[in-house]
Amino acid sequence: MSTALDKLFALVARLSSFIILVILIAVFAILFKEALPAIQAFGIKFITNTRWAPNMDIFGGLPAIYGSVMSTLIAMLLATPVAMGVAIFLTEIAPKFLKGPVGTAIEMLAAIPSIIYGMWGLFFFAPIIRDYVGGNGLGLLTAGIVLAIMVLPFMAAITRDAMNTTPDVLKESAYALGATKFDVIKDVVFPYAKAGILGSIILALGRAVGETMAVTFVMGNAHKIPKHIYDPATSIPVTLANEFTEADSDLYYASLFYLALILFVMSFVFIAAAKFYFFRKIRSAK
Amino acid sequence: MLKRLTFLGLSAALAANTLMADRISGAGATFPAPVYYDWAYAYHKATGNEVNYQSIGSGGGIKQVSMRIVDFGASDKPLKPKKLDRKRLYQFPAVIGSIVVVYNLPGIKDMQLKLENKDVADIYLGKIKYWDDKAIAEDNPGLKLPHKKIVVVHRSDGSGTTFNFSYYLAHVNDDWANNVGIGKALDWPVGIGGKGNEGVSNLVKQTPYSIGYVEYAYKLKNNFKAATLQTKSGKWVTPTLENFKAAAKYASWGPKNHFYQVLALQPGDNSYPIVAGTFILLPREKTERNKKVTAFFDWAFKNGDAAAKKLGYIPLPASTKEKIRKYWKMHGIAPDQ
């Protein structure tokens, strides 16, 4: 009886993981199929063409691809150091009575829907950028900063959890050997939590690259490669959200699917590269 | 067998539902959505019949009615007769709206700013960069224009409003016609994009020294300041209902080509240059359903003018309404009496 149940359970579990694979392949196949007319029309040059003129059936994906990559990059550059700082503070430095409330506050920040960040960015943050940095407030920089603020709590929470798993014995032995707090964080906590920290960065990256609502509000929605960092730009998800409902020519429709396919492949490559490169390195180091 | 039974039950339930009251569904343009909602509400109160309209954009409306998902589609861009034949659709106008050029310029009042038609295009081309540019200043000798960069706001989504606006720009400025062209979504030379009339309104509202184009109803709702433009022959004309109506008078819509005509830049001394009809699309083979849709619009043509005016739209001229009724009869889709 129990072996039969075990077998059934194994089968169900196997099936579930199999479904994930099927869905992944099915999504890719549909994106590819729908994008095919655009792939045939523009080929690989779609990625380097900068003009997006739907009324003339001219489509180039570079502005959207560039906007996606750059806004994510700005967000990660700003968010990662701060998130590390927050996590270190919470695990190693903060007194006990602060740990609870601050930790909960960060978890709550991570749960705020992205559209709220977008509205806050548009009505409060964009004017600040306009007055103190330049441009008209909506653009790549604003999008990057809003994204950074959005992924920061998320990254900090996961990094904190990863750092918390460092066994106290290890830390105490380091202190016993005369290590300073900085040494312990650098040489004990960080190496121990490395996998978790990288995981948090990758998850945050995935969220930033696919974020739509918050970015639509603050990016300026212009199919141009921005000259200055504060100039308006667009990203792939923003383009899709803005233009799908009105895409009435077949090539327009296919080009949007082409962009979606590129986004899909892009995030796939990001994560695969991170997984194979970094995690193997960590494993071999251990 | 069981499946069959539930199916029968379902269709019986649906049939019972339609017996009690007619329920028609439409989808499309956002531009006339406020007036369709108002009409649908009043129609429901008067007749008990329901009209469910989804404002998803003209492109979506064309797509959904072409795929026969909804009873009628709505588009701000008239489809050419050839395309109507290919998609097997009927088309007629429902109401007229107008597009105004709004600005956020502290100290300058509504309709005080005068913009030549070709200068509007030059601003949207990025050729006129500052508010005190000579081209603008020479038309506004009494105004103190600031030396500030013009923040151009346009639509980020495809839109019938953009189609009509770019049609106007292309006919008043050769540069625009040759380099940007006419369409629902464009390769904008400069500016920032907002989604929908609401998105553009928000951006103009909160960005000093900005300029944008919105449907007149949104100008009223947001208390925007709108620019005085020029008639086709170059006379100054203010954005008022009166002048919109003066332009609408010139509509030469007719049933022969399924009412295909873009209304921008009509002749006449008081014709505001950017008025636009908004159109209803019906699937040709669904005669019975179409009669229910035309019944709604017939009712709206009779009883809905006041509501349309209140919202900032222009009702169709009586002669056009007559032509539409003739068109319905011609194709056998006039409402049952």
Side-chain angles (χ1 to χ4, degrees):
Chain A
M1 184 60 198
S2 73
T3 54
L5 264 180
D6 274 354
K7 265 188 192 152
L8 187 71
F9 178 74
L11 189 76
V12 171
R14 199 169 299 155
L15 217 67
S16 314
S17 53
F18 184 67
I19 285 171
I20 296 286
L21 260 181
V22 170
I23 290 174
L24 192 73
I25 293 165
V27 169
F28 182 82
I30 288 293
L31 286 179
F32 188 79
K33 183 185 146 256
E34 296 288 337
L36 204 57
I39 295 173
Q40 281 164 345
F42 304 113
I44 200 80
K45 272 216 176 114
F46 181 80
I47 297 172
T48 53
N49 282 348
T50 54
R51 182 141 199 234
W52 183 269
N55 59 326
M56 300 175 186
D57 260 351
I58 299 171
F59 298 98
L62 189 60
I65 296 168
Y66 179 86
S68 275
V69 172
M70 287 309 284
S71 60
T72 308
L73 198 71
I74 294 172
M76 299 315 288
L77 283 178
L78 294 175
T80 312
V82 182
M84 294 304 123
V86 171
I88 291 168
F89 175 77
L90 281 179
T91 50
E92 305 300 327
I93 300 169
K96 264 230 169 74
F97 73 92
L98 262 183
K99 269 185 198 175
V102 175
T104 316
I106 283 175
E107 277 155 21
M108 275 166 71
L109 269 180
I112 293 178
S114 61
I115 191 155
I116 292 172
Y117 284 101
M119 285 165 64
W120 173 80
L122 175 65
F123 291 111
F124 179 76
F125 201 67
I128 294 181
I129 295 280
R130 177 179 71 218
D131 295 343
Y132 294 101
V133 182
N136 45 45
L138 301 176
L140 199 53
L141 182 65
T142 317
I145 295 175
V146 168
L147 276 178
I149 295 167
M150 223 183 81
V151 298
L152 196 150
F154 182 69
M155 227 155 112
I158 299 178
T159 303
R160 180 201 57 186
D161 291 344
M163 286 181 172
N164 265 338
T165 58
T166 318
D168 285 340
V169 192
L170 279 185
K171 285 193 266 180
E172 276 155 20
S173 15
Y175 282 124
L177 289 173
T180 61
K181 202 159 223 168
F182 182 73
D183 292 331
V184 171
I185 291 164
K186 182 167 70 88
D187 294 326
V188 180
V189 177
F190 251 98
Y192 196 87
K194 216 177 196 171
I197 294 171
L198 276 171
S200 84
I201 293 176
I202 290 167
L203 283 175
L205 194 95
R207 192 167 169 196
V209 104
E211 177 52 40
T212 313
M213 273 336 288
V215 183
T216 313
F217 272 91
V218 296
M219 209 164 186
N221 302 323
H223 275 282
K224 294 272 175 290
I225 295 196
K227 263 199 213 101
H228 304 286
I229 195 167
Y230 50 74
D231 279 345
T234 189
S235 77
I236 296 177
V238 165
T239 304
L240 297 182
N242 269 324
E243 301 183 25
F244 236 115
T245 49
E246 291 279 343
D248 49 0
S249 95
D250 295 337
L251 200 56
Y252 195 179
Y253 190 73
S255 297
L256 289 174
F257 265 102
Y258 200 172
L259 276 183
L261 182 70
I262 290 170
L263 182 66
F264 184 87
V265 171
M266 241 164 70
S267 34
F268 196 82
V269 168
F270 273 158
I271 290 172
K275 254 203 135 80
F276 283 106
Y277 182 71
F278 291 114
F279 284 89
R280 184 173 302 161
K281 222 167 156 189
I282 292 161
R283 224 169 290 150
S284 61
K286 265 186 191 167
Chain B
M1 187 61 200
L2 192 70
K3 230 182 195 168
R4 191 117 178 239
L5 269 177
T6 44
F7 175 72
L8 277 176
L10 244 165
S11 45
L14 278 175
N17 222 339
T18 46
L19 271 183
M20 283 181 337
D22 293 331
R23 183 176 294 168
I24 52 176
S25 63
T30 52
F31 175 89
V35 68
Y36 291 170
Y37 291 147
D38 203 297
W39 284 350
Y41 178 74
Y43 184 60
H44 179 63
K45 274 217 302 218
T47 64
N49 297 331
E50 272 179 49
V51 178
N52 175 20
Y53 184 73
Q54 294 171 57
S55 127
I56 56 170
S58 301
I62 295 170
K63 211 179 284 164
Q64 293 214 351
V65 73
S66 302
M67 287 159 70
R68 308 308 197 234
I69 294 169
V70 288
D71 293 320
F72 69 92
S75 169
D76 297 329
K77 178 188 173 184
L79 298 187
K80 294 204 170 107
K82 249 194 204 149
K83 198 165 183 189
L84 289 168
D85 284 339
R86 214 176 58 228
K87 295 191 179 269
R88 313 273 315 133
L89 295 171
Y90 293 131
Q91 171 176 274
F92 61 88
V95 71
I96 298 169
S98 49
I99 297 160
V100 293
V101 175
V102 294
Y103 51 87
N104 181 342
L105 271 177
I108 295 177
K109 293 198 194 87
D110 189 21
M111 302 195 275
Q112 238 181 5
L113 182 74
K114 291 177 184 164
L115 290 175
E116 282 177 43
N117 289 342
K118 77 165 181 8
D119 291 345
V120 176
D122 278 342
I123 289 172
Y124 270 85
L125 278 167
K127 284 209 282 190
I128 295 179
K129 290 195 176 72
Y130 290 90
W131 278 110
D132 60 350
D133 190 290
K134 231 179 72 198
I136 303 177
E138 64 187 12
D139 293 321
N140 297 282
L143 294 184
K144 253 191 105 177
L145 293 161
H147 183 70
K148 292 277 186 187
K149 259 202 163 153
I150 304 174
V151 180
V152 171
V153 182
H154 54 73
R155 291 283 288 268
S156 63
D157 49 339
S159 133
T161 314
T162 299
F163 167 79
N164 285 298
F165 184 62
S166 61
Y167 181 94
Y168 152 77
L169 293 181
H171 286 81
V172 296
N173 189 306
D174 288 339
D175 249 9
W176 187 276
N178 296 332
N179 298 322
V180 185
I182 302 169
K184 295 195 301 173
L186 305 166
D187 179 18
W188 295 99
V190 289
I192 49 178
K195 192 167 162 63
N197 272 305
E198 300 88 345
V200 171
S201 300
N202 273 333
L203 289 178
V204 170
K205 207 186 304 175
Q206 70 145 346
T207 317
Y209 310 109
S210 59
I211 190 168
Y213 61 94
V214 292
E215 210 283 318
Y216 184 63
Y218 290 86
K219 184 249 175 198
L220 293 182
K221 210 175 2 179
N222 291 292
N223 257 326
F224 279 139
K225 298 177 277 191
T228 295
L229 302 176
Q230 291 172 303
T231 62
K232 195 179 182 188
S233 55
K235 237 189 108 218
W236 295 116
V237 61
T238 51
T240 57
L241 267 180
E242 210 110 291
N243 294 337
F244 303 154
K245 241 190 274 171
K249 265 204 324 249
Y250 288 90
S252 56
W253 280 320
K256 236 191 218 147
N257 60 353
H258 303 279
F259 300 92
Y260 178 81
Q261 188 199 4
V262 180
L263 277 192
L265 291 162
Q266 292 300 316
D269 271 355
N270 298 309
S271 298
Y272 184 77
I274 342 174
V275 292
T278 179
F279 298 81
I280 300 297
L281 301 164
L282 297 175
R284 287 193 187 170
E285 73 284 356
K286 298 196 173 165
T287 312
E288 286 313 307
R289 296 297 291 167
N290 285 346
K291 283 182 184 173
K292 306 219 184 322
V293 178
T294 54
F296 167 59
F297 284 101
D298 189 49
W299 182 91
F301 289 165
K302 279 180 197 144
N303 306 295
D305 284 2
K309 268 186 221 156
K310 210 179 76 199
L311 289 167
Y313 297 85
I314 309 133
L316 295 176
S319 58
T320 306
K321 288 180 183 170
E322 266 329 295
K323 279 184 196 155
I324 294 171
R325 292 197 176 102
K326 218 177 273 166
Y327 176 76
W328 291 342
K329 272 203 199 107
M330 228 165 87
H331 295 288
I333 54 167
D336 298 320
Q337 291 309 317

